[in-house]
Amino acid sequence: TVTFMKLGEESNPKLSPEPTARQSNASTNIVENNKPNALQQKIDSLLTDADSAFQDNRFIEPKGNNAQEYYQAVLLLDDSNKLANNGLLEISNKYLQRADKAIKSNKLSDAQFFMKQATDIYSGNSNIARLNDSLSDAKRALDVENQNHLLKENKLTAQDPARIADEIKLSAGDKKKYR
């Protein structure tokens, strides 16, 4: 099982909650009260839209109306906005959770897809490396399983010529009977 960390947390198994984009923007206004009022209002509006999109599970779709794009728009206005960075991290973690579930279901191509999504959304997510290791382990296990299956199949094939010859003789004899 993979434990997902929030931005700025160490790899401590007990994670302390960080403010998320879905929390009140009031603390943002207090911390960032030095921004011009119109700019802060735009940022607050984008964070509210991001929150709504996140709640509706519109993480990366539809284009132009999803949480990722709203958070990225906030970062264009304020590149150090913690709520937007944490929001992108949360979306990335959602895709890592999907990847983890796919790995456990042995749907490795789905897991690979979700890992790429998570990386594209927030490449600095420290959880990506851990889950990538899990995916690599699952791929190796599948390779071993496939190799064992091929070895077993080859062993059966080595025994098949005699059996096939007997079947051919039987078929030829059956044909003579029915002529």
Side-chain angles (χ1 to χ4, degrees), residues 29-178:
N29 289 335
I30 293 167
V31 171
E32 300 178 357
N33 61 7
N34 59 341
K35 287 191 174 43
N37 196 27
L39 178 60
Q40 188 58 50
Q41 286 176 348
K42 179 65 175 170
I43 290 171
D44 290 346
S45 175
L46 288 168
L47 288 171
T48 298
D49 290 343
D51 178 47
S52 177
F54 191 98
Q55 291 296 326
D56 292 341
N57 294 319
R58 290 180 283 120
F59 304 123
I60 62 172
E61 292 179 349
K63 186 175 176 145
N65 188 15
N66 63 70
Q68 179 186 13
E69 289 181 27
Y70 291 126
Y71 290 132
Q72 288 172 334
V74 169
L75 292 173
L76 287 175
L77 299 173
D78 175 12
D79 63 352
S80 63
N81 188 288
K82 289 183 182 192
L83 293 174
N85 277 311
N86 279 337
L88 289 173
L89 180 63
E90 286 184 67
I91 295 169
S92 179
N93 280 337
K94 289 286 186 185
Y95 282 90
L96 291 178
Q97 289 168 350
R98 292 176 182 182
D100 189 40
K101 185 176 179 182
I103 290 168
K104 290 175 182 170
S105 301
N106 213 25
K107 296 178 181 178
L108 303 186
S109 61
D110 289 350
Q112 188 75 38
F113 172 79
F114 292 133
M115 291 290 296
K116 180 173 178 355
Q117 293 290 347
T119 303
D120 290 347
I121 292 164
Y122 197 91
S123 62
N125 189 338
S126 62
N127 299 313
I128 291 171
R130 286 189 303 216
L131 198 57
N132 204 26
D133 289 344
S134 294
L135 179 58
S136 295
D137 291 346
K139 284 180 178 180
R140 278 192 294 278
L142 185 61
D143 286 345
V144 168
E145 185 179 316
N146 287 339
Q147 288 173 356
N148 287 340
H149 178 72
L150 287 174
L151 288 173
K152 186 176 181 181
E153 193 174 280
N154 286 339
K155 188 176 181 181
L156 291 175
T157 305
Q159 296 172 357
D160 281 348
R163 188 173 50 87
I164 291 171
D166 288 342
E167 287 178 15
I168 291 172
K169 287 178 191 172
L170 213 113
S171 300
D174 289 344
K175 286 182 184 177
K176 288 180 185 177
K177 287 182 189 177
Y178 296 109

